[in-house]
Amino acid sequence: MTDKNCIFCRILAGEIPATKIYEDDKMLVFKDIEPKAEVHLLAIPKDHFKLLSEADETRAEILKHMLLKIPQIAKDNGCGNGYRLVINQGDDAGQTVFHLHIHILGGEILPW
């Protein structure tokens, strides 16, 4: 499922350019255009859904796949000493793109 108004769906469709880091049949990882750390990647499912609360069994399998792939992607991109994963959920959490995504932050010591 895609949403023609979603910027991440448009990246997936090739309508908007992105610096792709990794892609398979379930997910895409690309560089964030407004990085908050030396390494700031976004991992998105190819299936459009907005929030974790919308995850059914199929989407849970996609999320599992993503979480199993992220450690190697992080390591391959300069996060060998550690990284942070962030999933913002809703307006109050600062979610600005309503397509579930996982921020991968690292490449430096991260303050909290």
Side-chain angles (χ1 to χ4, degrees), residues 37-48:
E38 187 174 317
V39 175
H40 188 167
L41 308 175
L42 297 173
I44 64 171
K46 289 191 170 179
D47 183 19
H48 176 88

Side-chain angles (χ1 to χ4, degrees), residues 2 6-18 20 23 28:
T2 61
C6 170
I7 191 168
F8 290 169
C9 288
R10 294 182 65 204
I11 288 171
L12 286 166
E15 296 171 12
I16 296 174
K20 295 179 181 181
E23 184 172 13
L28 172 67

Side-chain angles (χ1 to χ4, degrees), residues 26 47 49 52-65:
K26 294 178 176 61
D47 183 19
F49 60 104
L52 285 170
S53 60
E54 296 177 4
D56 55 17
E57 289 299 318
T58 300
R59 289 173 172 163
E61 285 300 316
I62 293 168
L63 292 169
K64 175 183 170 184
H65 172 82

Side-chain angles (χ1 to χ4, degrees), residues 4-104:
K4 66 180 180 173
N5 297 315
C6 170
I7 191 168
F8 290 169
C9 288
R10 294 182 65 204
I11 288 171
L12 286 166
E15 296 171 12
I16 296 174
T19 303
K20 295 179 181 181
I21 300 299
Y22 175 84
E23 184 172 13
D24 63 27
D25 62 323
K26 294 178 176 61
M27 66 186 282
L28 172 67
V29 179
F30 56 94
K31 290 186 177 183
D32 193 300
I33 60 170
E34 294 180 8
K36 305 298 186 228
E38 187 174 317
V39 175
H40 188 167
L41 308 175
L42 297 173
I44 64 171
K46 289 191 170 179
D47 183 19
H48 176 88
F49 60 104
K50 298 174 185 178
L51 302 166
L52 285 170
S53 60
E54 296 177 4
D56 55 17
E57 289 299 318
T58 300
R59 289 173 172 163
E61 285 300 316
I62 293 168
L63 292 169
K64 175 183 170 184
H65 172 82
M66 293 174 69
L67 291 172
L68 290 172
K69 292 288 184 180
I70 285 173
Q72 188 62 50
I73 294 166
K75 181 179 177 186
D76 291 348
N77 286 277
C79 299
N81 290 327
Y83 55 93
R84 180 176 297 152
L85 301 179
V86 176
I87 303 174
N88 297 319
Q89 294 289 279
D91 293 322
D92 287 355
Q95 186 176 7
T96 57
V97 177
F98 287 89
H99 180 127
L100 188 126
H101 54 286
I102 302 171
H103 295 263
I104 305 165

